[in-house]
Amino acid sequence: MTSQPTLPKAGHGPQPAGEPGGGLQAGLKNRHLSMIAIGGVIGAGLFVGSSSGIATAGPGILLSYALVGTLVVLVMRMLGEMSAANPTSGSFSAHADRALGSWAGFSIGWLYWFFWVVVLAVEATAGAKILEGWIPAVPQWGWALIVMVVLTATNLVSVGSYGEFEFWFAGIKVVAIGTFIVVGGLAVFGVLPGVDSDQAGLANLTDHGGFLPNGPGAILTGVLLVVFSFMGSEIATLAAGESENPQRAVTKSTNSIIWRIAVFYLGSIFVVVTLLPWDATSIQDDGSYVAALDSLGIAHAGQIMNFIVLTSVLSCLNSGLYTASRMAFSLGERGDAPKAFARTTSRGVPLAAIIASVVFGFVAVFFNYKFPDSVFLFLVNSSGAVALFVWLVICFSQLRMRKIIQAEAPEKLVVRMWLYPYLTWATAALIVFVLGYMLTDTEHDGRDTVLLSLLVAAVVLAIAFVKDKVRGAARGEVQGEAQSRDEVSVG
């Protein structure tokens, strides 16, 4: 879809039936979208990365999660406003193209694609480690290859097969974390038998050096450690473009983001830091959730959590490949990527976009095994701040798009950003502050992540401006030739 002078008419979107090259199809059902929206905020990072945040900020990590959660809610509200008015597979990239210019849509679209294809390698490796522990006869690289091939095949069949797999992957995550919160909560309040009451309780929030044992500054450090585990909330707005009722799907997803973050992030972390003292060695040795399950006397807690983490990894891989391919498809539609990326099969699958994404993912997996401390480390760090770049672009796009929608189709403002434009500006300022604070962080590689991500962003921006200049020159030549022909015909 190219940047249009007016908002698309209602009904513009995926086709219910397809011929080769006929575009994406509305193959996602409401239950798929609902679970994609819920599961999108529960990444493997929540399970494996929270222990370092707890060690850094103590119980105050709850404030770190609340701060980032608030940021995500605000950004998703802005994205929901734009996507409900114009559901598209390109989501924020297409909105940036329309609101800020093709350079913005091109840049943020390719950076986002780059982020997810690197995530494919990270998650494939994480899943392979777990599977190798269970079945060591297959080497780790073999498991990484197997999971990548299986999920690639799933995405190649149809968008419905992606939705079905994600429905069950996300469902397992939701049930597991919901059960953890209920059982852990009962233990915290002393109504679950067999739990050491001296260890579990609300007193753990203050008894071990206070609620902020490492000082208020640790809250911001905690933000740096947890912010990237929230990436994925926006997937529902991309997937909505292939649903039966995109506007309804976006609206529902946007309106439910608050309780999803409150329950799954704040709820589960609250249970962890009240079941155990924040400085318990088991949290760092075994991981926060495994340690919490062990404290409840649940047998094989480590293997149970490995299964849940594996499910989260597979879910992230499945969605990562889907998201990268749909972004590549949108870029191809707008002329910002090879046109082949915008071609679809009779099932509405963007074959070339999927293959290109997974090939880069395979290359990244290879780098992870052959050059983990050089090439792959560069890939990971240089894509690390993309989440914040995406959120910042969403803020600036929404500032412009609100005026466009109000002028051209005010009836499409079914979702509205709160306290516009003040809260939008405040959110953008907070994102810039977090990026700035990361530049001071040398202990957790925050500075390297921002600097390398900015380097990659600068390269992509340079390509975008050169592309626009070349495209403009070509357009000028065409217009000049047309004018010459008109003059000749008049003469």
Side-chain angles (χ1 to χ4, degrees):
M1 183 187 303
T2 56
S3 183
Q4 302 292 331
T6 57
L7 287 171
K9 295 179 180 179
H12 180 79
Q15 302 301 315
E19 296 295 335
L24 302 176
Q25 296 180 22
L28 293 176
K29 300 176 181 178
N30 288 334
R31 65 183 179 88
H32 293 153
L33 263 295
S34 297
M35 199 57 75
I36 289 170
I38 295 173
V41 298
I42 309 174
L46 173 63
F47 299 108
V48 300
S50 55
S51 56
S52 58
I54 293 172
T56 298
I61 194 66
L62 286 167
L63 296 181
S64 301
Y65 274 103
L67 185 60
V68 179
T70 301
L71 184 62
V72 172
V73 167
L74 295 173
V75 170
M76 281 298 297
R77 187 72 184 183
M78 298 176 218
L79 182 56
E81 176 181 296
M82 296 184 289
S83 295
N86 179 25
T88 171
S89 61
S91 188
F92 51 84
S93 174
H95 303 321
D97 186 296
R98 173 74 174 94
L100 304 177
S102 61
W103 64 270
F106 175 96
S107 302
I108 205 63
W110 276 115
L111 285 172
Y112 191 69
W113 179 87
F114 175 58
F115 171 84
W116 278 110
V117 292
V118 173
V119 166
L120 291 181
V122 174
E123 299 294 342
T125 304
K129 288 180 180 178
I130 296 174
L131 289 167
E132 186 190 31
W134 292 343
I135 308 177
V138 179
Q140 193 178 118
W141 66 265
W143 280 119
L145 181 65
I146 289 170
V147 297
M148 288 277 279
V149 168
V150 169
L151 293 178
T152 299
T154 300
N155 276 264
L156 286 173
V157 172
S158 69
V159 68
S161 64
Y162 153 72
E164 198 63 31
F165 267 71
E166 190 58 23
F167 176 82
W168 291 106
F169 285 152
I172 291 172
K173 289 191 295 184
V174 169
V175 170
I177 202 166
T179 303
F180 174 80
I181 291 171
V182 171
V183 173
L186 292 175
V188 169
F189 291 101
V191 294
L192 188 70
V195 175
D196 184 358
S197 59
D198 292 335
Q199 188 178 39
L202 297 177
N204 283 326
L205 295 174
T206 55
D207 278 359
H208 300 266
F211 186 70
L212 296 172
N214 296 324
I219 297 174
L220 290 176
T221 305
V223 165
L224 305 186
L225 296 174
V226 306
V227 65
F228 303 111
S229 66
F230 283 82
M231 193 66 167
S233 305
E234 70 291 332
I235 292 176
T237 64
L238 281 88
E242 293 178 79
S243 67
E244 298 167 351
N245 190 337
Q247 189 179 76
R248 177 179 179 274
V250 169
T251 303
K252 186 176 179 181
S253 170
T254 301
N255 290 338
S256 63
I257 187 71
I258 297 176
W259 73 259
R260 285 185 277 138
I261 288 177
V263 171
F264 295 121
Y265 276 88
L266 292 177
S268 64
I269 294 297
F270 173 82
V271 167
V272 169
V273 296
T274 50
L275 279 178
L276 290 167
W278 70 271
D279 54 356
T281 56
S282 58
I283 290 180
Q284 290 303 305
D285 293 342
D286 304 325
S288 53
Y289 287 83
V290 172
L293 290 174
D294 275 334
S295 74
L296 297 177
I298 296 177
H300 309 295
Q303 292 304 321
I304 292 173
M305 190 51 59
N306 274 340
F307 172 74
I308 296 171
V309 171
L310 178 63
T311 303
S312 296
V313 164
L314 295 176
S315 171
C316 191
L317 266 172
N318 194 37
S319 288
L321 182 53
Y322 170 83
T323 304
S325 65
R326 267 39 177 197
M327 185 57 71
F329 170 85
S330 178
L331 289 165
E333 273 197 319
R334 289 179 272 138
D336 290 336
K339 285 295 183 183
F341 286 6
R343 298 194 189 107
T344 57
T345 66
S346 59
R347 293 176 175 266
V349 173
L351 179 64
I354 291 176
I355 296 299
S357 300
V358 80
V359 164
F360 194 96
F362 277 126
V363 171
V365 169
F366 171 77
F367 285 146
N368 193 10
Y369 287 108
K370 286 295 184 181
F371 312 105
D373 299 323
S374 55
V375 179
F376 188 71
L377 185 62
F378 170 80
L379 291 176
V380 172
N381 284 339
S382 62
S383 65
V386 167
L388 293 170
F389 295 166
V390 167
W391 296 346
L392 195 59
V393 167
I394 289 173
C395 292
F396 291 128
S397 297
Q398 189 267 338
L399 287 169
R400 174 69 179 139
M401 279 299 294
R402 166 65 76 90
K403 296 176 181 178
I404 296 174
I405 299 171
Q406 284 179 325
E408 299 177 356
E411 71 280 1
K412 291 189 175 183
L413 278 173
V414 293
V415 176
R416 290 174 178 265
M417 176 58 183
W418 306 295
L419 298 177
Y420 168 86
Y422 310 108
L423 203 49
T424 301
W425 280 113
T427 304
L430 180 58
I431 295 170
V432 172
F433 173 77
V434 171
L435 285 168
Y437 188 77
M438 287 180 70
L439 289 173
T440 69
D441 174 43
T442 55
E443 183 179 354
H444 304 100
D445 296 327
R447 177 182 294 176
D448 290 344
T449 297
V450 172
L451 292 177
L452 289 175
S453 296
L454 284 172
L455 174 63
V456 172
V459 171
V460 175
L461 273 170
I463 295 172
F465 284 123
V466 170
K467 176 192 68 69
D468 278 356
K469 192 169 183 179
V470 171
R471 183 181 291 177
R475 189 180 298 119
E477 289 179 5
V478 171
Q479 290 174 348
E481 291 175 1
Q483 185 177 357
S484 298
R485 286 196 299 270
D486 290 341
E487 291 174 353
V488 169
S489 62
V490 171

